Amino acid sequence: MTRHNRDCVGAMQSNAIPLVSDDANFVFKRFPRYKIGADNVIMEVEEEPKALSLKEIVAKETAQLLEQQKRLSVRDLAKKFERGLATAAKISDEFKFREVASLDRHVLLKKLRDVLECLRGRVAGRNKNDTEEAISMVEALAVQLTQREGELIYEKAEVKKLANLLKKAIEEARKNVEEERTLACVEIRNAREAVQRVEQAALQEKELVFPAKDLEGLMNEVQEARRIKMLHQPSKVMDMEHELQALRFQLADKCLYAIQLRKELAMLKILDENNSHLYDLEGSESLGSYLRIIPCTDSSPDISNCCIQWFRIQSEANIKVLISGATKSFYAPEPFDVGRYLQAEITSDDLRVTVTTTGPIDPAAGLGSYVEALVRKADNEFNVVIVQMNGRDQSSNSIHIFHIGKMRIKLRKGRYTKADERYSTSMQLCGVRGAGNAAAQALFWQAKRGLSFTLAFESERERNAAIMLARRFAFDCNIMLVGPGDRADTGR
């Protein structure tokens, strides 16, 4: 008997049923995610991060809609509410599906529990213990499923409330849209009526202000305005500009001719004052040339036997300034003479005759810009020949360098320096007053007391530029460079 039971138990143990938890496959495969830990404690296996539920998504979108409600139009808001309503309907359908799935799970768990109960009565030993563990795990799953169903029921109620709120909101939005549309139509109709009233009033006012008789006058004015506009076409304007330009040229020629006539009249007036035409001035009355006194009649006294003195005359104040050293029949104007009249007084026994230029001395063309270019340089050099030194003639015609700087003037030949002096009150610089037709290219320079030079330049332009440049640099040092016997206020 005992042996028979042992064989039966051994046969049952050899034919033992595998653990239910090994190959259980329920709906949605949720069962294998649980396992039994130490002390028969049911433990949940770690899962991947859950995605947001539909309820959370709907709540998030609802919050965004409420935030955007202030800056959205009524129509856009209605569209948003309709979209939310469709989402709520979709959520409701999913909850229905979940409810059916939940019922299926309960049925499967109940059947599984019944099967395990039958197995527990038919097995013994180790298989019986496994069956009891499986039954306890199924009961735990049933409890969790019940809790989950409670949560789903609560969520379903919340979703229904949200769907009702969305329905009410969409209805209110539709009402607002209709009200706004009605108000807009009324405003448009009122605006059209107001425009018609204004147009009628304008027509009536036009008929009152502009009667039929005045219309002809207005048409005539319009035609006159068109005629004036045609007269001011670009072609007409260009023709007028050309005519004005030609008139400007003619006016400039007339001005030059008037200046020439004025000079001739001044010369005739001077001749009438002298009562006799014995002498005259020959040469160009401009800087860079020279003037010479010539007799006009055979009865004129010999100029070499007469005393001559040149003067500067300022036309505005009629001030007569003596030019020291200018006692020859030749005189070359220097920069001080520009803008002033030159007069020569000829005295012979009891005869006194004066000859005056017909106009003020004109500046040399391009000399001003040339001097301005030289001023920008710190040092300027000119090639010169020493004609006299301390009043004695020099036979050598060797070329020297006349150096004009911002602080000093030097005269040198190669490495040998004949004079190097800073600007001072004892320094003098002017054009040569006498020496025939070569005076226009020569200047007198007194470096210091007891040391003077008469220098000849290569051209009249360089001589005048050197005088102007030296006086400019000396003026920057508060020194006025003038000639012998000249006053400091003769310069400009």
Side-chain angles (χ1 to χ4, degrees):
M1 188 72 179
T2 305
R3 185 177 181 180
H4 177 72
N5 288 337
R6 289 179 179 175
D7 295 335
C8 181
V9 172
M12 291 178 65
Q13 290 179 353
S14 62
N15 296 327
I17 299 174
L19 291 176
V20 177
S21 61
D22 291 341
D23 57 352
N25 186 12
F26 301 110
V27 179
F28 299 110
K29 299 180 181 180
R30 297 290 295 178
F31 183 73
R33 294 183 182 180
Y34 296 91
K35 67 179 182 178
I36 300 174
D39 298 330
N40 294 327
V41 177
I42 298 175
M43 298 177 64
E44 186 176 357
V45 181
E46 294 183 359
E47 300 178 355
E48 297 178 356
K50 296 193 300 180
L52 294 176
S53 63
L54 290 175
K55 178 183 176 182
E56 294 175 350
I57 294 173
V58 172
K60 185 177 180 180
E61 291 183 356
T62 304
Q64 292 178 354
L65 289 175
L66 292 175
E67 290 177 357
Q68 297 176 357
Q69 185 177 4
K70 294 182 180 180
R71 58 178 181 271
L72 291 176
S73 63
V74 178
R75 185 172 298 174
D76 295 337
L77 192 59
K79 291 180 180 179
K80 292 288 184 179
F81 279 125
E82 289 178 356
R83 192 181 302 167
L85 186 60
T87 305
K90 183 178 179 181
I91 293 171
S92 179
D93 295 338
E94 287 188 3
F95 271 106
K96 290 179 181 179
F97 177 74
R98 287 185 180 183
E99 186 177 359
V100 174
S102 177
L103 291 175
D104 293 341
R105 292 191 187 97
H106 278 288
V107 172
L108 290 173
L109 287 174
K110 186 175 182 304
K111 290 181 179 181
L112 180 60
R113 191 173 182 282
D114 294 339
V115 171
L116 292 174
E117 287 290 340
C118 293
L119 287 174
R120 186 174 58 178
R122 295 172 58 184
V123 298
R126 180 180 177 183
N127 291 333
K128 185 176 182 180
N129 294 332
D130 292 340
T131 303
E132 289 177 355
E133 290 178 0
I135 291 172
S136 61
M137 186 174 62
V138 169
E139 291 177 353
L141 287 175
V143 172
Q144 291 182 359
L145 183 60
T146 304
Q147 293 177 356
R148 182 61 179 166
E149 286 179 353
E151 293 177 358
L152 291 175
I153 292 170
Y154 178 75
E155 291 180 0
K156 183 178 180 181
E158 293 294 329
V159 170
K160 287 182 179 180
K161 291 180 182 180
L162 182 60
N164 293 330
L165 290 175
L166 291 174
K167 287 181 180 179
K168 292 180 181 179
I170 195 64
E171 290 176 358
E172 291 179 357
R174 287 175 179 172
K175 290 180 181 179
N176 291 332
V177 170
E178 294 298 330
E179 291 177 358
E180 293 292 335
R181 186 179 298 164
T182 304
L183 292 174
C185 292
V186 173
E187 290 180 358
I188 292 171
R189 185 169 59 254
N190 293 335
R192 288 177 179 174
E193 293 176 357
V195 170
Q196 292 177 358
R197 289 196 300 270
V198 171
E199 290 179 352
Q200 293 176 359
L203 290 174
Q204 294 176 1
E205 185 178 359
K206 184 176 181 181
E207 292 176 357
L208 293 174
V209 176
F210 301 105
K213 294 181 180 180
D214 294 340
L215 291 177
E216 295 180 359
L218 290 175
M219 291 178 64
N220 293 332
E221 291 181 1
V222 171
Q223 292 178 357
E224 182 66 18
R226 289 177 179 173
R227 187 183 67 82
I228 294 172
K229 183 178 180 181
M230 291 297 294
L231 290 175
H232 289 80
Q233 292 298 323
S235 60
K236 299 288 184 181
V237 175
M238 293 297 294
D239 294 339
M240 294 175 67
E241 288 182 355
H242 290 313
E243 292 179 0
L244 290 174
Q245 189 69 21
L247 290 174
R248 290 191 187 99
F249 290 148
Q250 293 179 7
L251 182 60
D253 295 339
K254 296 294 183 184
C255 290
L256 293 175
Y257 184 66
I259 291 172
Q260 185 178 359
L261 289 177
R262 191 180 295 111
K263 289 183 178 181
E264 292 179 358
L265 288 174
M267 184 177 64
L268 292 175
K269 183 179 179 181
I270 293 171
L271 291 176
D272 291 339
E273 290 176 355
N274 294 333
N275 296 324
S276 61
H277 188 54
L278 299 177
Y279 300 97
D280 197 2
L281 290 177
E282 182 185 46
S284 177
E285 298 176 357
S286 62
L287 187 63
S289 62
Y290 66 92
L291 299 174
R292 184 179 64 173
I293 301 173
I294 59 173
C296 295
T297 62
D298 295 336
S299 60
S300 300
D302 188 3
I303 194 69
S304 61
N305 298 326
C306 299
C307 295
I308 301 173
Q309 181 61 56
W310 290 83
F311 298 89
R312 297 188 186 99
I313 299 176
Q314 294 184 2
S315 59
E316 298 111 0
N318 199 17
I319 299 175
K320 191 174 180 180
V321 180
L322 183 142
I323 303 175
S324 178
T327 58
K328 304 293 183 180
S329 60
F330 288 86
Y331 180 75
E334 64 167 282
F336 272 164
D337 300 324
V338 175
R340 295 177 173 86
Y341 288 85
L342 291 178
Q343 186 181 82
E345 187 177 282
I346 306 166
T347 306
S348 175
D349 297 333
D350 56 352
L351 177 67
R352 177 174 291 183
V353 180
T354 58
V355 289
T356 310
T357 57
T358 58
I361 301 300
D362 296 327
L367 181 62
S369 58
Y370 177 59
V371 173
E372 290 298 327
L374 295 177
V375 168
R376 298 189 186 97
K377 301 178 182 179
D379 298 316
N380 296 275
E381 295 180 351
F382 301 91
N383 294 328
V384 297
V385 174
I386 300 176
V387 179
Q388 289 183 351
M389 180 175 179
N390 294 330
R392 293 193 295 261
D393 295 337
Q394 300 291 315
S395 58
S396 175
N397 293 327
S398 59
I399 296 177
H400 292 67
I401 302 300
F402 189 56
H403 177 92
I404 299 177
K406 290 185 177 294
M407 302 299 295
R408 61 200 315 119
I409 297 178
K410 293 188 291 185
L411 179 63
R412 60 182 176 83
K413 180 182 179 181
R415 296 182 180 180
Y416 177 69
T417 301
K418 289 193 173 184
D420 184 2
E421 298 294 331
R422 298 175 64 89
Y423 296 109
S424 63
T425 55
S426 61
M427 184 180 291
Q428 296 178 359
L429 185 72
C430 65
V432 171
R433 298 163 182 178
N437 56 4
Q441 299 182 13
L443 63 78
F444 171 78
W445 176 48
Q446 178 179 303
K448 59 183 178 179
R449 290 184 177 88
L451 181 61
S452 61
F453 300 91
T454 300
L455 306 176
F457 287 75
E458 293 180 347
S459 64
E460 295 86 353
R461 183 186 186 190
E462 290 193 356
R463 173 255 198 180
N464 294 321
I467 295 174
M468 295 176 65
L469 190 64
R471 288 174 177 171
R472 178 77 170 270
F473 289 155
F475 183 77
D476 294 340
C477 298
N478 295 325
I479 302 295
M480 184 66 68
L481 281 182
V482 293
D486 290 342
R487 295 181 300 177
D489 59 352
T490 58
R492 288 185 174 181

